[in-house]
Structures are given as structure tokens and as C-alpha cells.
Amino acid sequence: MSASNNRNEGPNKTQAVQGQVDEVIGIMHNNIEKVMARGEKLESLQNKTDDLQQGALQFKRGATKVRRQMWWKDLKLKLIIAAIIIVILIIIIVPIATSIKKSSPTS
């Protein structure tokens, strides 16, 4: 009887082992798919990071350019204001100086 049991258990064990192997293969396929998807996500993330870095570099260049332009505008405005103040002072001082010169007795 034990010989007939061993013959019956042989195919069952083989089927059980084959089932486990198939299950492991399925799990490995899922793992490989997940790793590939993760690799694609990492590649996409790397591309986005590169794009952001390029955008940041362009933004920095633009900001530097705008900062220089605003500095020059500010300097020009300060020079214009200084020139206007000098002109106003000249307009005020010259008539006063000429009237003082005219009113002073000549020797």
C-alpha cells in the first residue's frame, strides 16, 4: 500500500512544487514590472529636475538683467533730480547774487 501511496503523492508533490514555482514566477514578473515602472518614474523625475534647473538658471539670468536695468533707471532718476535741484538753486542764487552786487557800493 505504501508503494501506491508514493506513486499518488509523486504527481501531487510535483504539481504543488510547480504551483509554487508558477507563483514565484508571477511574483517576480510583478516585481520586475514595478522596478521598470519605478525606473520610468525616476527618469521622468530626473527630466523634470533638469527642466526646473534650466528654468531656474534662465530666471536667475533674467532677474540679474532686470536688477541691472532697475539700478541704471534709479541712477538716472537720481542724476535727473540732482540736476533739477542744481538748476533751481542756480535760478535762486544768481538773481540774489546779482542784486547784492548791484546794491553794494562801489569804491
Side-chain angles (χ1 to χ4, degrees):
M1 231 170 99
S2 69
S4 68
N5 280 344
N6 282 343
R7 287 184 209 158
N8 288 340
E9 287 180 13
N12 287 340
K13 278 188 177 182
T14 305
Q15 288 176 350
V17 170
Q18 184 64 41
Q20 288 178 349
V21 168
D22 290 340
E23 183 180 343
V24 169
I25 289 173
I27 291 171
M28 292 305 295
H29 280 289
N30 286 338
N31 288 344
I32 290 171
E33 287 175 9
K34 288 178 183 177
V35 167
M36 289 175 63
R38 183 173 178 244
E40 290 173 2
K41 287 180 183 177
L42 288 174
E43 185 177 323
S44 173
L45 186 61
Q46 180 66 36
N47 290 339
K48 288 178 183 178
T49 303
D50 291 341
D51 292 344
L52 279 173
Q53 187 175 10
Q54 289 297 323
L57 184 60
Q58 289 176 353
F59 178 79
K60 185 178 179 182
R61 287 180 188 154
T64 302
K65 183 178 178 182
V66 168
R67 188 177 343 123
R68 284 186 190 139
Q69 288 174 346
M70 293 307 293
W71 184 82
W72 278 111
K73 266 187 171 178
D74 188 45
L75 181 65
K76 288 176 187 177
L77 181 64
K78 286 178 182 179
L79 290 174
I80 290 171
I81 290 172
I84 290 172
I85 290 173
I86 290 171
V87 168
I88 290 173
L89 288 174
I90 290 174
I91 290 173
I92 293 172
I93 293 173
V94 168
I96 293 173
T98 54
S99 67
I100 291 175
K101 191 176 183 182
K102 287 182 182 177
S103 66
S104 66
T106 54
S107 356

